[in-house]
């Protein structure tokens, strides 16, 4: 939930850093299930839809998606 709050902040670099921390927290299927239960996956998908100014955030969101596929 703490990371979910950071992912809703207006500062791009803060959201990008939160996505990076989220990626490092993905260790097993249980952590992915926790992401789904806390609706963090919705916030990750929102990061992919942002405008062109949010490159850092978009790259980190793609890395989160790749980490979930590697575990799953």
């Amino acid at each position: 939930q703490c990371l979910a709050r950071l992912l809703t902040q207006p500062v791009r670099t803060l959201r990008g850093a939160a996505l990076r921390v989220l990626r490092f927290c993905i260790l097993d299927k249980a952590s992915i299930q926790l992401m789904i239960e806390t609706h963090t996956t919705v916030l990750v998908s929102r990061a992919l839809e942002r405008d062109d100014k949010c490159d850092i955030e978009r790259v980190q969101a793609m890395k989160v998606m790749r980490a979930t596929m590697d575990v799953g």
Side-chain angles (χ1 to χ4, degrees), residues 1 3 17 20 22 25-26 49 52 57 65-66 70-71:
Q1 283 182 331
L3 283 177
R20 185 173 182 191
L22 180 64
C25 290
I26 299 172
E49 296 175 356
D52 294 336
E57 186 179 357
M65 298 302 289
R66 186 176 64 199
D70 288 343
V71 170

Side-chain angles (χ1 to χ4, degrees), residues 24 29 34 47 66:
F24 289 123
K29 290 185 179 184
L34 183 62
R66 186 176 64 199

